Every structure is written in C-alpha cells, then in structure tokens.
C-alpha cells in the first residue's frame, strides 16, 4: 500500500460527500494492508418497518467499503472500479447503535477484486456477512 492510513481515510471520507454514503452517515475509520473499515449509525433513517436495521442499508455499507477499498489497488488515472455482484447473509438484527463494515481482500487480480465484508455491532457480534466482486475497468480515453 502506497498511502498512509490517514491519506486513505481522508480520501474515502472526501469522495463520500454528496453521495449515498453521506446520506447514510457512513464514515471511514480504519485502514491497513488489505483492509478498510467504515462505520454507520443505526437509527430510524436505516430501519425497516419493524424498527430493525434494513438489510439494504447493510448491503449499502458493505458495497461502499468494499468498492472504496478497491480504489487503492488500481491506477485511478487509467482505471475505475465497478461492483458487479454482492451477496449478503443477515445473521443478527440490531435496532440502534453503530455497525462497522470491515472489508478484507480475498482475491486481487488485474481485472477482478473479491472482498469479504463483515458487518459487526459495537460488541463485535456478526450482523451480516457479505461478499463483493468488483471489476476493474480501463477508463475510456477522451479526445
């Protein structure tokens, strides 16, 4: 990794402005070799009708942190990342507090990145287990 932890977190939090990540109050809080962590508050803004964390909000957290993590394995001047598949197993419910999404690289190829994202609560309980596949694309040349 050619970036400091502080540079990674600053970059991720800056590019999240005016996006779904800002709407969901996702904040990137830790990074290291092959992993990235973000947190998201659990409140009525991310609840489903029964007052629990919505599975879609969990998946949005997972895709956000996994896609952001792929940015640090590409050349952003020539390449870009697209999430092409995500799966999630929701294992435990939560009504309030904070959840943490930790993305860890499973496969780092030239054109495909595979991430495992564990979403946990403040006590470390596993809330959701997700798998994200990102495709690395060459940017189109503009004339």
């Amino acid at each position: 990794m050619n970036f400091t932890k502080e540079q990674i977190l600053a970059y991720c939090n800056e590019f999240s402005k005016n996006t779904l990540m800002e709407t969901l109050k996702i904040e990137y809080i830790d990074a290291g070799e092959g992993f990235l962590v973000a947190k998201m508050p659990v409140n009525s803004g991310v609840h489903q009708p029964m007052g629990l964390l919505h599975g879609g909000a969990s998946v949005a957290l997972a895709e956000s942190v996994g896609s952001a993590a792929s940015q640090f394995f590409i050349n952003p001047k020539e390449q870009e990342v697209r999430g092409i598949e995500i799966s999630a197993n929701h294992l435990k419910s939560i009504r309030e507090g904070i959840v943490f999404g930790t993305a860890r690289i499973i496969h780092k190829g030239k054109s495909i990145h595979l991430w495992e994202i564990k979403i946990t609560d403040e006590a470390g309980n596993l809330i959701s287990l997700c798998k994200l596949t990102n495709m690395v694309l060459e940017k189109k040349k503009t004339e």
Side-chain angles (χ1 to χ4, degrees):
M1 189 176 298
N2 298 327
F3 304 94
T4 68
K5 173 181 164 177
E6 293 75 22
Q7 289 172 318
I8 291 169
L9 299 177
Y11 176 81
C12 290
N13 286 312
E14 181 63 29
F15 78 59
S16 294
K17 291 182 179 176
N18 300 312
T19 68
L20 178 65
M21 286 83 77
E22 184 176 68
T23 300
L24 296 177
K25 298 180 175 43
I26 293 172
E27 179 185 355
Y28 296 89
I29 60 167
D30 197 12
E33 189 65 39
F35 78 92
L36 181 64
V37 182
K39 69 178 183 175
M40 179 179 73
V42 179
N43 54 41
S44 62
V46 294
H47 280 169
Q48 43 93 311
M50 300 301 291
L52 302 169
L53 175 61
H54 193 292
S58 296
V59 169
L61 172 61
E63 183 151 1
S64 297
V65 72
S67 292
S70 276
Q71 296 296 316
F72 297 97
F73 293 124
I74 66 167
N75 177 346
K77 292 180 180 176
E78 297 177 9
Q79 300 170 307
E80 53 193 12
V81 173
R82 296 286 184 275
I84 59 172
E85 182 178 10
I86 189 163
S87 64
N89 292 100
H90 305 299
L91 306 169
K92 186 173 175 60
S93 59
I94 182 172
R95 291 183 183 275
E96 59 184 19
I98 297 173
V99 289
F100 301 89
T102 302
R104 294 195 182 277
I105 191 78
I106 295 171
H107 172 76
K108 181 179 67 170
K110 290 191 322 189
S111 60
I112 296 288
H113 296 167
L114 180 62
W115 294 92
E116 175 187 74
I117 302 97
K118 289 184 179 178
I119 299 176
T120 57
D121 65 13
E122 293 166 282
N125 296 307
L126 186 61
I127 304 300
S128 297
L129 180 62
C130 306
K131 185 175 70 174
L132 172 67
T133 306
N134 289 330
M135 180 171 43
V136 179
L137 298 171
E138 296 299 316
K139 284 186 175 179
K140 295 191 188 319
K141 305 282 187 225
T142 55
E143 297 178 80

